[in-house]
Amino acid sequence: MAAPVTSPQANGAYTAPKTRRMTVPDFLAAKGRATRLTVLTAYDYTLARILDDAGVDAILVGDSLGMVMQGEPHSLKVTLEEMIYHTRLVARGIRNSLLIADLPFMSYQVSPQQALENSGRLVKEGGAHAVKLEGGVRSVPAIEAILRADIPVMGHVGLTPQSVHRLGGFRVQRDGPRLLDDAIAIEQAGAFALVVECVPADLAEQIRSAVKIPTIGIGAGAGCDGQVLVTHDMLGLFNDLRPRFVKQFGNIGSAITDAVAHYCREVREGRFPGPEHSFRG
Ligand code: KIV
């Protein structure tokens, strides 16, 4: 686990504790361990800071921001410039977690050269430590090109949201032989980890056994080396879609609604601001 960046003291002050940043080699070394890897998404400084303080191993600036931040029905319209912008915001909030940024749709599919150049921008301008791209066998040339610049790559197989139109929707992927071929191709190309999205749990376990890199599941059961969720889903902040695999670990959306209603009531009734929030002349 990435150590928390600060620890509250009894008097409320914060000290800089012993910290250690999660690295790509640490991530690889976690393969097969009983303690699973934790990954969550973030798109801005404030949330990144909270996740990093809480000790999440890796933060993914996912192109899920197309849905969660931009209100689109899919991630296809997200641009590289937007990914760089959000990665830069998140990078400022991170001290310990590994920072992985998604390559958005059409930023790596055209040619290996395009994949390399755009990955370089996510690292150089955004501050990412690694990039993630979707696809199996067909993404091997892109991964090999990116690795020539020593930029670590995370793969993503199973339900690959950038293929939503070919797949006919966000559906569970059950083609075992193809998924195994894809996972092995990504590992052999040199990826350091692999997201496995929306596949039956037994198939995800087979994929985990077939590769030496950590598998990070989402909707893929408990038999992966780690788990990733969209933070807004697991906090109950984003309710447009409620996939079966999401567990709500909090209901922050309702907490915000209550706080805002409370604020409106107090302002309307003249109870806020009180003397303690006002200045004297
Ligand atoms: O875009 C994203 O947030 C993702 C994760 C859900 C794996 O790809």
Side-chain angles (χ1 to χ4, degrees), residues 1-102:
M1 174 178 123
V5 68
T6 50
S7 50
Q9 304 298 294
N11 63 5
Y14 278 73
T15 57
K18 293 181 210 97
T19 59
R20 190 172 185 286
R21 188 183 270 289
M22 171 62 73
T23 65
V24 165
D26 295 333
F27 219 76
L28 263 169
K31 172 73 186 175
R33 288 209 182 127
T35 304
R36 310 289 163 88
L37 289 160
T38 55
V39 184
L40 285 171
T41 59
Y43 319 106
D44 66 75
Y45 169 82
T46 303
L47 191 56
R49 187 78 205 265
I50 292 170
L51 300 185
D52 189 82
D53 281 356
V56 71
D57 294 315
I59 295 181
L60 171 69
V61 186
D63 61 358
S64 50
L65 71 84
M67 283 113 121
V68 173
M69 294 278 107
Q70 301 175 337
E72 295 287 348
H74 47 60
S75 56
L76 300 180
K77 292 187 186 169
V78 176
T79 66
L80 182 72
E81 301 305 324
E82 288 164 350
M83 290 305 302
I84 292 171
Y85 170 75
H86 284 279
T87 304
R88 202 165 59 232
L89 307 189
V90 169
R92 289 192 198 120
I94 287 189
R95 314 245 166 121
N96 294 304
S97 310
L98 187 70
L99 173 52
I100 305 163
D102 258 344

Side-chain angles (χ1 to χ4, degrees), residues 41 43 60 62-64 102 132 134 156 195 197 218 228 230:
T41 59
Y43 319 106
L60 171 69
D63 61 358
S64 50
D102 258 344
K132 175 168 84 58
E134 297 182 7
H156 185 158
V195 169
E197 178 162 354
I218 173 164
V228 56
V230 170

Side-chain angles (χ1 to χ4, degrees), residues 192-245:
F192 75 95
L194 181 65
V195 169
V196 179
E197 178 162 354
C198 257
V199 307
D202 54 341
L203 180 52
E205 287 200 46
Q206 285 178 46
I207 295 174
R208 183 195 194 192
S209 309
V211 296
K212 293 188 191 66
I213 54 176
T215 57
I216 308 298
I218 173 164
C224 295
D225 299 295
Q227 295 290 324
V228 56
L229 281 177
V230 170
T231 303
H232 289 63
D233 289 341
M234 56 83 82
L235 290 182
L237 267 170
F238 180 78
N239 293 312
D240 292 9
L241 284 175
R242 287 284 291 277
R244 172 191 160 100
F245 59 75

